[in-house]
Amino acid sequence: MAFMDDRLGQSRDFFQNTEMVLDLRNRPMRSDEISALYTRLYQKSMVRVVEVRLSDHLSFSMAGEPKKSRAAVEADGESNDCVPVIVRNTCRSGVRVVSSSDCVVLGDVNPGAEIIAEGDVIIFGNLRGVAHAGARGDQSARIWALSFEPNQIRIADLVAVPPRGAKPARGRFEIAEIRDGVIQVVSL
Amino acid sequence: MAGKTIVVTSGKGGVGKTTTVANLGTTLAKKKYNVVLLDTDIGLRNLDVVMGLENRIVYNIVDVIEGKCRKEQAMIRDRKLSNLCMIPAAQTREKNSITEEQMKELCSSLAAEFDYVIIDCPAGIEQGFKNAIAGADTALVVTTPEVSAIRDADRVIGLLEAALVRQISLIINRLNAKMVKKGDMMSTNDIIALLSVPLLGVVPESEEVVVSTNRGVPLVHDRSSKAGAAFRGMAARLNGESIPLDGDSRGFFGRMKRLIWD
């Protein structure tokens, strides 16, 4: 604790007003220890611990409203493990799913919902909201969906909107990927 | 056995929550159930106006929750049906003068005495909405066939699911069959495909609704009204009866045709 106070004092600017994920996978802590750490960090330098990881497939969120509806998200693993986030219901307006690897949605993505993944986005349903694949700049990331009628799709740092008045073809798998520097939607 | 607590909500304003509450409540009361309507739109109350009971208000929901009166004192009996009453919202207070816990308590105590507790939810998704859904076990989401209303309904359904409301059904209000045929309006099927919740009923667009609201007499008292028939069908379905959905939106010829076919 004393060491941490010292460190926080030294690098005050670095930690100022940031959000932090507390990783306790290798060192389990009691709940009162966690809460002491939480208040200490907040008072000292406005660091908010937003998420506590307890083990590989168990984590809980400390701040803000629950972004995902109950039991929606199975696991939030590390990207090098390639454990995708699986959402087992329809993503409705206002839902925002963020994944550090791929993201699989078993249902529709409705207008107003956002799916953001550092890898691919795979939707077994209609994509009507916003999907962002390769959020960390991976240009080879792709978006897969049974039907594309989105508000907007993004891959890496490119943004595309569907052409006006185009009627989507239903019931076949389509893929959005970067070809020659632009986002293109092709059917499988 | 405890009664059903039903919240009627929509997200967007002006889609017909209050009209739905008044008409469903009246229909259920006509079927000899004991019904209480609860207006939670504090600061913007209007269920009392639609029911034509505005001048009888003495106490309101905030008075009940703050313990200034017993809940029986705040209940206003309907002019025609003795087994229908309503608790009005306070007009001079704010939405955060009651809490979710207090609403839960009130709803469960009302559900112990009545067969149906129908809650009129305010527009929006802030504190007023959270209060209104706190005590409910069933939700009816009202939407009109407009993109903005459907978007808000979608958001509200998401919030209801997150709040663990067990049963959610959809009511489509002000559907214009002619416009749907011409392709100028979203059809029932389009809306259900997007929202993916079971449909309770479809209310056709009708001028009678405006007239009945202004007169303060719920539409279902008028036997000949088509919109009223839609509300009667919904009340029956809410009650567990199975009535085909098509009957609501079809006209006279549709009904004749069905009579001949069957």
Side-chain angles (χ1 to χ4, degrees), chain A residues 68-69 71-74 84-91 95 97 103-108 115:
Chain A
K68 305 135 196 173
S69 46
V73 176
E74 289 266 293
V85 171
I86 301 170
V87 182
R88 288 184 193 277
N89 47 12
T90 302
C91 291
V95 172
V97 179
C103 182
V104 181
V105 180
L106 307 178
D108 292 348
I115 309 292

Side-chain angles (χ1 to χ4, degrees), chain B residues 23-42:
Chain B
N23 283 296
L24 282 183
T26 308
T27 315
L28 288 166
K30 277 184 152 185
K31 290 174 180 262
K32 306 285 176 234
Y33 289 103
N34 290 319
V35 181
V36 60
L37 311 179
L38 197 56
D39 190 353
T40 61
D41 201 348
I42 299 168

Side-chain angles (χ1 to χ4, degrees), chain B residues 106-176:
Chain B
L106 178 64
C107 286
S108 59
S109 74
L110 286 171
E113 295 171 33
F114 289 86
D115 298 316
Y116 284 97
V117 181
I118 306 182
I119 304 162
D120 188 14
C121 175
I125 51 170
E126 292 85 19
Q127 188 61 44
F129 167 79
K130 288 177 191 157
N131 286 340
I133 65 164
D137 52 28
T138 307
L140 304 179
V141 178
V142 183
T143 184
T144 55
E146 290 158 43
V147 182
S148 52
I150 292 167
R151 183 75 56 90
D152 292 359
D154 189 41
R155 178 87 168 104
V156 160
I157 293 165
L159 291 172
L160 287 167
E161 283 173 351
L164 303 180
V165 175
R166 274 190 291 135
Q167 216 182 330
I168 303 171
S169 352
L170 184 71
I171 295 173
I172 299 174
N173 198 5
R174 305 186 62 180
L175 191 83
N176 188 329

Side-chain angles (χ1 to χ4, degrees), chain A residues 70 92-94 110-111 128, chain B residues 151 154-155 161 164 194-195:
Chain A
R70 74 207 139 89
R92 298 182 183 280
S93 176
N110 281 356
R128 300 194 188 91
Chain B
R151 183 75 56 90
D154 189 41
R155 178 87 168 104
E161 283 173 351
L164 303 180
L194 199 142
L195 295 178

Side-chain angles (χ1 to χ4, degrees), chain B residues 96-110:
Chain B
N96 45 16
S97 39
I98 58 177
T99 66
E100 290 159 54
E101 289 305 314
Q102 291 168 327
M103 263 307 280
K104 260 184 209 167
E105 223 166 87
L106 178 64
C107 286
S108 59
S109 74
L110 286 171

Side-chain angles (χ1 to χ4, degrees), chain A residues 25-40:
Chain A
R25 275 177 286 193
N26 299 325
R27 187 182 181 285
M29 276 175 137
R30 291 203 315 275
S31 58
D32 55 328
E33 287 178 316
I34 296 175
S35 78
L37 200 60
Y38 178 81
T39 46
R40 181 69 68 97

